[in-house]
Amino acid sequence: MSEPTEPAAEAAPKPTRIAPIVTPDAKSFWAAADREEFIGQKCSDCGRFRFPPRPMCPHCHSLAREEVPLSGRGTVYTWAVPRHPPPFGFREPPIIAVIALEEGIRMVSNVVGVKIEDMRHDMPVEVTFEPTMGNHKVPVFRPRR
Amino acid sequence: MTRKFTEAAIAGIGATEFSKASGRSELQLAAECSLAACEDAGVDPRDIDGMITFTIDNSDEISLARCLGVKDLAYTTRIPGGGAAAAGTIFQAMALVNAGLCQNVLIWRAMNERSQYRFGQNPNQANMSGYTAGHGTGSLLWCIPYGAMTPASWAALQAGRYMHRYGVTNRDLGYVSVQQRKYAATNPKAWFYQRPITLEDHQNSKWIMEPLLRLLDCCQESDGGVAILVTSLERAKDLKQPPVRILGATQSIPYNVEVISNYYHDDLTVMPEAMGVARRLWAMTGLKPSDMQCAMIYDAFTPHVLLQLEAFGFCKPGEAKDFVKSGQIAIDGALPVNTHGGLLGEAYIHGMNSMAEGVRQVRGTSVNQVKNVQHVLVSSGMAGAILARA
C-alpha cells in the first residue's frame, strides 16, 4: 500500500469515490497517482508502452520495464453517463470515458469540468487528479484548450 | 480403450421455467434442468461422464453429480468469460466427444440472478469475486473507481465508438429490441410472453447509460436453469430426439481482447473476437453466411447484436442497423435472429437459452419456427457453433 497523502483543505467535502483496488502489478501506477503523478509502463528493451500494466512485454517478452511519466494528454475515444443504477461514490453522475493517450494506450477514466451536452468524441483532454476514500487519488481528465 | 474421432451431436435440451423469483436453490435449478435435458434425450443421468459449466456458476459439479446420481465422471471443466463464452461450452463438449474422451457430456447453467443477487446492479463491495482472476475479466478493476460498475456501463463504453463512427443512434438500437420482444410475445416460455413493445416504448424507457443504452436495450435479470446434453452423432441417432449435429464450434480471444471491459484492442468499432469465431467457423464447416437460415446471437445489450451481424459477414461494417431496421431479422427476413425472444425477451440464462433455441430450430420445434432450417449459427461473441440437421 502507498503512503496516505495529506488530507485535503478543511472546507473540501469528504471524498466519496471508491479507492482503486490495487493489484501487485498495478501498485506503482496507483502509488504515483496518490502523489499526483501520472505514469505509464514502458518496456525497457523495445520501448513500447502497455496498459493495463503487466510483468512482461507482449511485443518482445522482456521482463525489464520502467515506470515513466506520461504526457497526461489524450482524447476522448468514447464516453457515457451512468443513469441507472447510480454508481457508488458519486454525488452527481460521472462522465465515464475511454481516453486515448498520446502514448498510444487507452484507459478508462472520467472527464470532469465539462457539461454533458458539451461532450464530444475526440475532444482533447489532459490529466488531473481527484481524491477517493481512504486518502487516495485517481487520474481523471479535463478539457484541454 | 482406443480413441478415434467421433462426431458430436446435441441429443437433449432441458430448462426450468424462467422467472424473477424461482423460490428454490440454484443447485435445485441445475438439477431440474439437467434431468430435463437427459429425459429429453432419453439418456440415464447416471451415465453422464462429462460436465461443463461457466466459471461463475455457483453450483458445484460434485453436488450436481450427487443429485443426478452420476456413477463415474470422467471429465469436468468450466469456461471463463461469462456469457460471451457461452458457446464455448458446446465447443468443449464437442471436443471431448470428438476425442473419444466422453460419451454423455452435460452442459448446465443455473442462476437466481434476480432473486438472490443482481447482475445488473452495482457490485456488492463485500464480494468482489467477479473481479478476481479466472473469469476473463482482467481489467474490470480499472473501471470501478470511475463509476463504471455494471455490465451495462462496461458494454456501453464498448459500443460507443462503433455507434459514433457509423451514426448508430439509440433509436436504431430500438429495432433490435422491438423485434425480439415480438418473438418473445409468441413464446409461452418467455418472461415477456404476450408483451410486445413499440419503438416508442423503447424510446420512452429510462436511460441506463446516456446517450447510448436505455432500459429496453438491456437483457433481463432472470432466475432459471438450462442444460444441454452432448453425445456422439451415432448414439444420438438411437435416442429420443432427432440429433442436432455440431458441425463446427470454436472460441476466439484475439490479442488485447477481454470480456466486456474490452477497451484495449486496436479498433473498438469492430468485435475482433466474433470476427475470429466467424473466420474459424466458416473455415471449419466450409459454409458461409448465406447458408444460415437463422441465428441465435448473444444479446446482453442491443449493440452487441449489430456488431456480431457485421463480424459474421451478414452485412458490411456499419450496415447492421439498416439490416435490422429493414426487417431482415424478422421471421420472414434474410436472417431471423433470436426467435425465442433472446436474452432481452425470453430470459437471461447467460446465453444457454439461446443455444437451446438453436437446437429447437434445427429440430423444427420452435414456437417461431423458421422454414427449411438446415444450419443455425449460435454466437456468444467469444465463441460460436454451427448446428445442423443430421
Side-chain angles (χ1 to χ4, degrees):
Chain A
M1 297 297 287
S2 57
E3 293 296 315
T5 53
E6 289 297 313
E10 57 287 351
K14 224 176 153 195
T16 52
R17 185 190 288 266
I18 292 178
I21 302 158
V22 181
T23 60
D25 293 313
K27 206 172 153 184
S28 49
F29 179 90
W30 295 116
D34 284 349
R35 301 187 302 269
E36 300 208 354
E37 291 169 24
F38 186 49
I39 64 164
Q41 192 183 56
K42 187 180 181 179
C43 175
S44 302
D45 284 313
C46 76
R48 283 192 259 194
F49 284 94
R50 58 202 193 231
F51 189 92
R54 66 203 75 163
M56 181 178 283
C57 174
H59 307 291
C60 73
H61 301 146
S62 171
L63 294 172
R65 55 192 181 267
E66 49 205 84
E67 317 292 349
V68 300
L70 298 171
S71 74
R73 288 187 297 269
T75 54
V76 173
Y77 193 69
T78 186
W79 64 276
V81 178
R83 292 293 182 190
H84 181 83
F88 285 140
F90 295 87
R91 292 187 180 92
E92 297 295 325
I95 297 170
I96 307 171
V98 177
I99 306 295
L101 298 170
E102 268 186 354
E103 288 80 3
I105 49 180
R106 292 190 205 117
M107 74 173 291
V108 174
S109 187
N110 294 132
V111 182
V112 299
V114 61
K115 292 198 190 95
I116 292 169
E117 53 268 33
D118 294 331
M119 278 301 293
R120 299 285 179 272
H121 282 82
D122 302 315
M123 186 168 91
V125 289
E126 64 188 5
V127 77
T128 180
F129 291 85
E130 286 210 342
T132 74
M133 291 192 282
N135 279 339
H136 292 286
K137 285 177 183 165
V138 292
V140 298
F141 291 81
R142 64 186 173 204
R144 170 160 52 102
R145 280 163 296 277
Chain B
M1 184 183 85
T2 54
R3 286 170 52 200
K4 61 177 173 53
F5 182 88
T6 309
E7 268 209 72
I10 294 171
I13 53 174
T16 64
E17 82 288 0
F18 305 131
S19 76
K20 303 292 176 189
S22 73
R24 49 211 198 273
S25 73
E26 293 184 317
L27 180 60
Q28 182 170 337
L29 296 176
E32 288 179 24
C33 66
S34 299
L35 181 64
C38 291
E39 286 175 344
D40 182 54
V43 165
D44 187 333
R46 294 171 192 83
D47 294 333
I48 289 166
D49 56 358
M51 291 176 71
I52 301 174
T53 189
F54 297 44
T55 55
I56 58 175
D57 192 277
N58 292 321
S59 295
D60 192 86
E61 288 81 349
I62 303 307
S63 304
L64 180 56
R66 278 187 178 137
C67 288
L68 297 168
V70 174
K71 287 180 299 196
D72 186 9
L73 203 50
Y75 202 109
T76 68
T77 188
R78 288 182 174 233
I79 54 132
T89 58
I90 303 247
F91 174 41
Q92 298 208 11
M94 177 191 81
L96 288 178
V97 170
N98 285 168
L101 298 175
C102 290
Q103 274 154 25
N104 299 305
V105 183
L106 174 75
I107 301 165
W108 89 89
R109 178 80 177 102
M111 60 217 287
N112 281 329
E113 58 122 358
R114 184 60 177 78
S115 65
Q116 196 175 322
Y117 41 87
R118 299 285 303 270
F119 256 35
Q121 295 292 313
N122 292 316
N124 174 355
Q125 289 178 81
N127 176 14
M128 287 289 188
S129 62
Y131 306 122
T132 56
H135 306 302
T137 50
S139 300
L140 284 184
L141 290 176
W142 292 89
C143 300
I144 301 303
Y146 298 109
M149 297 176 174
T150 61
S153 67
W154 305 320
L157 291 178
Q158 206 182 318
R161 190 76 194 185
Y162 164 77
M163 291 173 68
H164 170 67
R165 173 164 175 186
Y166 294 111
V168 180
T169 63
N170 176 263
R171 192 180 177 86
D172 291 328
L173 300 178
Y175 291 93
V176 176
S177 195
V178 168
Q179 178 56 56
Q180 293 196 191
R181 288 290 293 271
K182 189 175 177 187
Y183 285 130
T186 52
N187 172 8
K189 300 276 172 62
W191 177 255
F192 287 119
Y193 178 50
Q194 294 179 333
R195 281 185 283 173
I197 57 165
T198 63
L199 195 59
E200 296 321 306
D201 293 332
H202 175 272
Q203 286 298 288
N204 290 331
S205 68
K206 67 184 168 193
W207 283 119
I208 300 298
M209 291 295 293
E210 189 178 352
L212 305 174
L213 300 179
R214 293 180 185 273
L215 179 66
L216 293 176
D217 292 301
C218 304
C219 63
Q220 303 177 51
E221 294 171 305
S222 306
D223 284 11
V226 175
I228 296 177
L229 191 87
V230 177
T231 184
S232 67
L233 177 60
E234 197 184 347
R235 182 153 192 268
K237 283 176 179 162
D238 299 329
L239 295 173
K240 268 168 67 179
Q241 302 290 343
V244 172
R245 288 175 70 191
I246 306 171
L247 271 196
T250 190
Q251 257 180 296
S252 174
I253 309 174
Y255 174 66
N256 251 350
V257 163
E258 66 180 61
V259 179
I260 204 150
S261 45
N262 194 7
Y263 315 124
Y264 308 104
H265 64 82
D266 290 343
D267 180 1
L268 296 198
T269 68
V270 294
M271 199 188 266
E273 59 274 40
M275 292 161 79
V277 170
R279 196 162 49 240
R280 286 197 192 131
L281 280 183
W282 300 145
M284 199 179 269
T285 60
L287 297 171
K288 55 188 184 303
S290 59
D291 294 321
M292 302 297 115
Q293 283 76 45
C294 57
M296 304 307 141
I297 295 179
Y298 197 81
D299 58 316
F301 302 98
T302 48
H304 293 160
V305 175
L306 304 186
L307 279 157
Q308 287 174 83
L309 285 170
E310 294 174 16
F312 279 90
F314 293 109
C315 41
K316 294 198 178 74
E319 293 182 1
K321 70 172 165 53
D322 300 321
F323 185 82
V324 172
K325 201 172 175 176
S326 65
Q328 301 305 319
I329 68 169
I331 196 76
D332 54 355
L335 184 80
V337 170
N338 296 336
T339 48
H340 55 323
L343 310 178
L344 300 169
E346 189 186 58
Y348 184 73
I349 312 297
H350 236 161
M352 287 288 292
N353 50 318
S354 301
M355 302 197 293
E357 173 69 1
V359 171
R360 286 189 292 267
Q361 284 290 355
V362 174
R363 288 179 179 176
T365 58
S366 170
V367 291
N368 294 310
Q369 184 61 45
V370 176
K371 288 191 193 110
N372 304 318
V373 172
Q374 297 295 320
H375 304 114
V376 177
L377 171 70
V378 172
S379 168
S380 55
M382 277 186 163
I386 292 174
L387 309 181
R389 260 179 207 275

